[in-house]
Structure formats: C-alpha cells, structure tokens
Amino acid sequence: MIELNQYYTPESTSLALASMLDISNVRSCIELSAGEGALVGPLKASNKNIKFTTVDIDQSNSTKLANLYPNDVHICGDALDKNIGLKNDSFDLAICNPPFSYVDNSDKYSYLLTGKFGTLLSKNKRLRMEVLFILRNLQLLKPGGTLAVIVPDFILNSRPLLNFRRILFDRFELFNVVECGYGSFKKTEAKTYILFIKKVNKSKFSKVVPVISIVNGVLKKNSIDIENAIKTVEKVEPNSGYEIFRGCTSSKLCRESRRDFHHNYSGLENFSNVTYKVYSAELPKFKYAKFNDVLINRVGRSVGDTVILASSNVIVSDCVIVIRFHRASLREAFIENWTRDRADWIKLHVKGTCAKNISISSIKSYISTLGKVV
C-alpha cells in the first residue's frame, strides 16, 4: 500500500454515506482515490445497476478492485491527472475519501483552478488535496449530479479556507452533512465530515443544512445555518480589554535559548500558578508571557490545559496561547467561566488531522460571550 496520508474508510462511515444517498436513478459513479473500495460495496448492495469507475494510484488496490468488481472500470493512476482518460460531465454520482494533506502547487493543477477558484488559489504555493479532489469530482459530475466527499474538520471550519467555502457553496448546493466523531479513521485523530454537494447553479446560499452527528455509534440530528457560517465563521470583533497571541518559536529553538520557557507541558494542574527563573533582559525573536497572563496549551494531548503565570516574563513556545487581560473584571469572568466550561468547550472546538489543536479565533469567540456577564 502506498502511503499518501490516505486514511481508509471504515465500514461505519461507508454505511453512513450510502444511507444518505438516493441512488435509485443513479447509473454511473466515479470514485477517485478509491483505496480498497470501502465506499463501493454499500452502494452496489443498494443498486446493482450502477456502473462504477474507480481510480487509485496504488496498483495493489486497483488489482483488488478489479477482482472484486470485474464488470466495472478500474484505473491505476493519479486521479488528478487531467489526461487519465476521464470525461467531464459524465457521472451521476461521485464518492470520495481524498488524501488529507497538502501538495505543492504546479501547472499540473491549473485546469482545476479556473474562474473564481483560480483567482483565489492559483498563486498559493501549496494546496489542500481535499480541495483539488472536490473540484475534480465536480468537473466529472453531470449537471444535477451529487458528490459525497469525506473531509477533515479543517476543510469545513478553518479560517484559511473561508473564501474557498464561500465560492464553493455559492456556486453549488451543500444539502446534507454528516459529522463523524474523533477517531473515526485509524492513524488520525481528525474530526471528519461527509459533505453532500449537488452540482447545480445557485443564486444564493442555502439557509439551513441538516447535520447528522455520529458519536460512538449514536446518531444525533442537528442543523447549521450555512449562510451565517460561510459569512462569519471565526470572525471576531476587535478585542476590548485583552490581548491574545501564541508563541512564535518551536520548543527546540526555545531550548536552544538556554532559558526557562513555557511549553504545552502535560501534568500541570489546571488553573495552578507556574513560576520560572527571571532574567534581566528579553531575547529577540521570542515571544514572552508576563505576570498574571493566562497560558493555554494550543496543541497536543494536553490541548486546552490552562495555567496562570505567577512570575515575571518567560518565553512561550508556539504550542501555547497567551491571554493578557487589561480589565480585572473580564479576567475574573474568564477564569470563573473557563474553569466550568473548559472541558466541554474543548470537546466541541478541538480540531486537527494529525494533532488536536484549538485556535485563537475560537477562544476570541468564547471571550466575546463574556461581555454579557462583565
């Protein structure tokens, strides 16, 4: 098996995807990055008349699929190769679990980066593979066709892809979402979603999109206001009464300073005071926390753990978020509420494909809710 940051689809996710699709009139289906064909089986069980075309770069996967489904078309090659032999506007349905990773931008992908997508992404040095696979699948679909694609939380909720989502969901219809729990895929802690997108021209955003959450085998129904999410996701009003930032140097560089520094250490008691050796002068190229700052672990197994700096300035690594309050009432409100809410808040807001992390913008959003109690 070729390692391409590909997380093969577990049976529970495959069944969830298949159960959400109306495939009674589907006659053709494309699966790019098909892997071992976990998404094919459940659909074939529901409609034996579907003609599948699968593409995978791993010869062993293509051979396995050809043996399992000899009457379908199986291509071994790069699914994003324009000349692989696939025609645009040819398939009723597309299903996809793309690699969760970045790729260096090159002319190879220029055929995908057209129109507004090209204006937005063509000058980027690196591109998300999931974005490229979404665009390729939509090219291959017939007008009115449906794409069901598995993506990590980053694709649906991150600030860097805000404008991509705005263009995508302005042009095509997101009509259903399945939220999969953490650990749904082996070898990654990523929170994942299945997005169901219809290739239809749209003049405005859908107002409400149903969401089904799958956590420990339990289904919960919810909904998201996609217009509001696309326009305001992670948007926070300018700060009032505090500063927030993260360290700018790795733990390795902090260690090389030969000074004490604060890192995402595990084992520290939450909301305890921490102290470090005091030095007469600050070093350039490092960021420092100051007395009474709130220090929150941004990433790792101890993500969200929180302590208070009880000594003078100390270097902070890039794994730590620092909150410096300028209003005592806001600081007191934050500590009181964060003590109560932290554990549940982390479960709802932690992100990450390889390592769990929280964002500054999400903490800003939390602090903004405290204005009502200060």
Side-chain angles (χ1 to χ4, degrees):
M1 182 180 72
I2 298 175
E3 294 294 336
L4 292 169
N5 290 319
Q6 179 76 1
Y7 305 108
Y8 285 10
T9 314
E11 182 180 9
S12 60
T13 304
S14 302
L15 294 173
L17 185 151
S19 68
M20 298 288 289
L21 290 168
D22 179 5
I23 58 172
S24 56
N25 295 317
V26 171
R27 292 296 176 264
S28 58
C29 179
I30 178 73
E31 183 177 8
L32 305 180
S33 189
E36 297 176 340
L39 298 176
V40 175
L43 295 178
K44 273 193 168 292
S46 298
N47 185 344
K48 296 180 180 179
N49 295 320
I50 299 177
K51 183 73 173 181
F52 281 86
T53 298
T54 69
V55 183
D56 199 87
I57 201 168
D58 190 331
Q59 183 61 63
S60 63
N61 285 337
S62 290
T63 300
K64 181 177 181 179
L65 289 169
N67 291 333
L68 284 172
Y69 310 112
N71 296 323
D72 295 307
V73 177
H74 307 286
I75 301 171
C76 180
D78 182 352
L80 298 179
D81 183 350
K82 182 181 180 181
N83 301 312
I84 202 170
L86 299 172
K87 294 183 179 181
N88 292 348
D89 305 311
S90 297
F91 297 92
D92 300 316
L93 174 67
I95 54 176
C96 190
N97 176 18
F100 295 179
S101 63
Y102 284 96
V103 65
D104 290 336
N105 197 356
S106 71
D107 291 341
K108 172 183 177 180
Y109 307 117
S110 60
Y111 78 102
L112 293 171
L113 305 180
T114 59
K116 291 183 179 180
F117 292 116
T119 302
L120 177 66
L121 300 170
S122 60
K123 294 183 179 179
N124 290 7
K125 291 182 179 180
R126 303 176 75 207
L127 301 166
R128 290 294 303 193
M129 292 286 279
E130 303 94 328
V131 167
L132 294 173
F133 271 83
I134 288 172
L135 296 178
R136 182 57 173 149
N137 275 291
L138 289 169
Q139 277 189 349
L140 295 171
L141 280 174
K142 296 176 181 177
T146 295
L147 166 63
V149 59
I150 299 168
V151 297
D153 182 73
F154 182 84
I155 301 300
L156 186 61
N157 290 311
S158 70
R159 177 182 288 273
L161 291 179
L162 171 61
N163 287 326
F164 169 74
R165 292 192 298 274
R166 180 180 289 119
I167 296 170
L168 181 68
F169 299 139
D170 187 33
R171 182 173 175 184
F172 305 103
E173 180 185 2
L174 176 69
F175 66 92
N176 240 327
V177 176
V178 173
E179 179 183 6
C180 306
Y182 291 103
S184 297
F185 289 76
K186 294 180 180 179
K187 300 181 181 180
T188 177
E189 296 177 335
K191 184 177 185 179
T192 52
Y193 295 85
I194 308 174
L195 308 183
F196 296 85
I197 304 170
K198 191 168 288 291
K199 187 177 178 178
V200 293
N201 292 324
K202 295 187 63 221
S203 58
K204 60 181 180 178
F205 295 112
S206 299
K207 289 186 177 180
V208 178
V209 177
V211 178
I212 293 181
S213 300
I214 305 174
V215 181
N216 297 325
V218 179
L219 299 182
K220 296 182 179 180
K221 293 184 178 180
N222 205 332
S223 64
I224 55 174
D225 184 333
I226 204 66
E227 179 174 2
N228 183 64
I230 291 171
K231 290 183 176 179
T232 63
V233 63
E234 295 191 351
K235 181 179 178 182
V236 182
E237 293 302 315
N239 299 339
S240 176
Y242 73 97
E243 302 171 47
I244 186 169
F245 60 91
R246 57 179 276 193
C248 62
T249 44
S250 67
S251 60
K252 179 182 178 182
L253 290 175
C254 290
R255 206 172 294 115
E256 290 175 355
S257 74
R258 298 182 181 276
R259 291 192 174 186
D260 285 1
F261 66 95
H262 187 76
H263 187 46
N264 60 337
Y265 302 120
S266 58
L268 296 178
E269 183 179 350
N270 272 296
F271 306 103
S272 63
N273 292 329
V274 295
T275 60
Y276 294 95
K277 183 178 178 179
V278 178
Y279 299 90
S280 58
E282 295 184 0
L283 296 176
K285 299 183 180 179
F286 291 95
K287 288 189 177 180
Y288 282 77
K290 297 182 178 180
F291 175 72
N292 255 357
D293 283 352
V294 178
L295 312 179
I296 302 177
N297 290 354
R298 184 185 64 83
V299 66
R301 293 182 179 180
S302 58
V303 62
D305 283 5
T306 304
V307 295
I308 311 298
L309 182 62
S311 57
S312 296
N313 299 7
V314 67
I315 293 170
V316 289
S317 78
D318 58 4
C319 293
V320 176
I321 292 172
V322 179
I323 310 177
R324 182 171 301 151
F325 290 98
H326 301 303
R327 291 192 356 238
S329 59
L330 182 59
R331 184 178 187 277
E332 291 171 4
F334 175 81
I335 292 176
E336 178 182 350
N337 287 272
W338 188 243
T339 302
R340 181 194 64 220
D341 300 336
R342 184 187 62 85
D344 290 336
W345 186 93
I346 294 298
K347 292 178 183 178
L348 290 173
H349 293 86
V350 71
K351 306 177 185 301
T353 301
C354 297
K356 292 183 178 180
N357 64 85
I358 54 177
S359 67
I360 284 178
S361 56
S362 62
I363 295 179
K364 284 182 178 179
S365 295
Y366 177 80
I367 295 175
S368 71
T369 67
L370 302 179
K372 301 174 183 178
V373 299
V374 179

